[in-house]
Amino acid sequence: SSTGAFTSTSIDATKLSGDLPAISGASLTGVGKVLNTWTDTDNTSITTSSTGSWVDLGASVTLTPSSPSSKFHIVATMTADLGSGSDYSSAPDFKMSVKRAISGGATTNEVTNSPNWRMDTRGGSTMHNSDCRTFCATGIDSPGTASAITYTVHFINQSWGGYNGAVGSRYDSTYGGGTNITIMEISS
């Protein structure tokens, strides 16, 4: 009955008291589990002054899925910096993402959700070490393969908007930064 402590689909929490029995996670169905975790950090500063081409950063992970049905939760960060330039009156638009390269198969440039960002220095100001920005891209990837996969953090300059310098990843010993990728393999 729906008026009692228990129904066919729910338990009235106000009717519970005392010690509850332990439930084994092995008994659960339809719930994914974290099978593996990988991470990589790279502290190399990489910049470009061109537009329209993806630039690989140093953080990458090569893995072999436990199963073709595995899903991968991906979190990547990049500390970005504008390099030297003489015109800071406008701002470049750029995007960072994670690319997937399947061994013997296809490469996909954007497996994470990433909007376009603008490194805004308009007003004639210049950026300094402490003015770096950290950006994050996340996503769930379902590659559908048991072959080895390499995930690499990369970025692309979409447009300069009049800025004539360089943009890229940044690391220094005082302010930190760099590029990081963490991947969790989830069973389906």
Side-chain angles (χ1 to χ4, degrees), residues 81-97:
D81 183 22
L82 291 177
S84 60
S86 59
D87 179 4
Y88 289 91
S89 62
S90 59
D93 293 326
F94 78 99
K95 177 185 275 196
M96 60 93 56
S97 186

Side-chain angles (χ1 to χ4, degrees), residues 99-156:
K99 78 174 174 183
R100 174 189 67 213
I102 298 174
S103 178
T107 297
T108 304
N109 274 333
E110 295 184 68
V111 296
T112 54
N113 184 13
S114 174
N116 290 336
W117 288 295
R118 174 163 285 173
M119 294 288 287
D120 197 350
T121 61
R122 286 178 281 192
S125 66
T126 59
M127 291 189 72
H128 304 283
N129 292 342
S130 60
D131 293 332
C132 297
R133 308 291 189 264
T134 298
F135 299 94
C136 182
T138 62
I140 302 291
D141 188 32
S142 302
T145 184
S147 298
I149 303 169
T150 300
Y151 290 98
T152 305
V153 182
H154 63 170
F155 76 100
I156 186 171

Side-chain angles (χ1 to χ4, degrees), residues 5 13 27 30 44 48 52 66 72 88 107-108 117 121 125 152 163 176 180 182:
S27 302
T44 305
T48 184
S66 299
F72 295 92
Y88 289 91
T107 297
T108 304
W117 288 295
T121 61
S125 66
T152 305
Y163 172 73
N180 178 276
T182 299

Side-chain angles (χ1 to χ4, degrees), residues 18 20 37 41 53 57 67 96 110 123 126 133 159 161 174 180:
L20 297 175
T37 302
T41 299
S53 298
L57 299 172
S67 165
M96 60 93 56
E110 295 184 68
T126 59
R133 308 291 189 264
S159 69
T174 302
N180 178 276

Side-chain angles (χ1 to χ4, degrees), residues 159-178:
S159 69
W160 284 112
Y163 172 73
N164 67 353
V167 66
S169 66
R170 170 70 181 209
Y171 175 82
D172 76 36
S173 59
T174 302
Y175 299 103

